[in-house]
Amino acid sequence: MALGTATVGYELRFDAGRICLDLLATTHPEERFDSVDVLRAWIAAAGLAPPGTPLAHADASWLVAFRELRGHVAELIRSRLGAEPRPSYDIALARVNEIARTAPPAPRAVRNQDGSLIRELAAPPECAQLLGAIARDAVELLTDPVARAGLRQCEGDNCPIIYVDSSRGRRRRWCSSEVCGNRERVARHRRRAALARA
């Protein structure tokens, strides 16, 4: 599948711990929802639709809707992390609640070729159903005191990704140890090497 140009250097990431936070990560390091193909790939990789679910009916209006929900969820999450709620906070809250009212796609169990059961959707998902699943996740995150207390912003240099820290002792520092954590370790090594040469 040909993906949009935004994903050439940066793969889609799903390490924030919640689907609504993974949606927020699609703006870093640049806009990732630059094509419907990328959005389709994100929907499948996020587990919103089982592998093989037909998504050919997704169009540019889906990009607009996903970006709109992403903006509203970002407003709510960033306010939770200490920023003063802006006047748009109440609008974002009302919109996320409204979107969450739509039921997510209905799953069904079907027999696989080997006889095991696999999950399929009863029908190709509608955009509103997928958005509803993400909005419900945001509502659950923001109303669960334990999950809410685990919200963290990555300490990586210039990384805006927000994740849920569910590590033992809640000492996780980066959205991903392999990405931002590795960058930090490399930078620290270079600083030490520079000091040793000085």
Side-chain angles (χ1 to χ4, degrees):
M1 174 187 329
L3 294 181
T5 57
T7 58
V8 171
Y10 302 98
E11 295 300 316
L12 297 172
R13 296 195 27 210
F14 300 92
D15 41 23
R18 298 296 288 250
I19 187 107
C20 64
L21 299 178
D22 289 332
L23 178 66
L24 298 187
T26 62
T27 62
H28 178 69
E30 58 191 32
E31 176 61 62
R32 302 222 183 146
F33 287 166
D34 65 342
S35 75
V36 177
D37 284 340
V38 173
L39 177 61
R40 288 183 188 124
W42 187 87
I43 289 167
L48 286 170
T53 299
L55 293 170
H57 59 293
D59 60 25
S61 69
W62 286 40
L63 283 172
V64 172
F66 271 78
R67 288 175 181 165
E68 177 197 358
L69 177 60
R70 182 180 65 194
H72 294 312
V73 171
E75 177 80 20
L76 300 178
I77 298 291
R78 297 213 182 277
S79 292
R80 173 65 192 131
L81 287 175
E84 276 296 312
R86 297 182 298 205
S88 56
Y89 180 89
D90 289 335
I91 294 168
L93 182 60
R95 189 69 179 115
V96 168
N97 283 332
E98 180 184 333
I99 293 169
R101 292 177 56 184
T102 303
R108 65 181 184 165
V110 295
R111 253 187 239 268
N112 199 359
Q113 291 177 343
D114 66 3
S116 63
L117 294 177
I118 60 170
R119 180 175 67 102
E120 283 187 356
L121 298 182
E126 297 174 18
C127 183
Q129 292 176 307
L130 298 174
L131 294 173
I134 299 168
R136 285 175 180 223
D137 183 59
V139 168
E140 289 171 11
L141 172 61
L142 291 166
T143 59
D144 177 348
V146 174
R148 210 175 46 226
L151 282 173
R152 304 278 187 274
Q153 174 142 0
C154 181
E155 293 180 22
D157 190 31
N158 297 318
C159 182
I161 292 179
I162 297 169
Y163 61 91
V164 174
D165 181 1
S166 56
S167 67
R168 176 182 271 172
R170 299 224 174 178
R171 291 184 292 217
R172 183 174 160 191
R173 296 180 51 207
W174 304 293
C175 59
S176 167
S177 181
E178 293 78 28
V179 179
C180 287
N182 190 51
R183 285 185 194 134
E184 176 65 27
R185 288 186 289 274
V186 167
R188 194 173 21 203
H189 173 72
R190 286 183 180 156
R191 285 191 299 270
R192 285 186 199 140
L195 285 173
R197 285 192 300 264

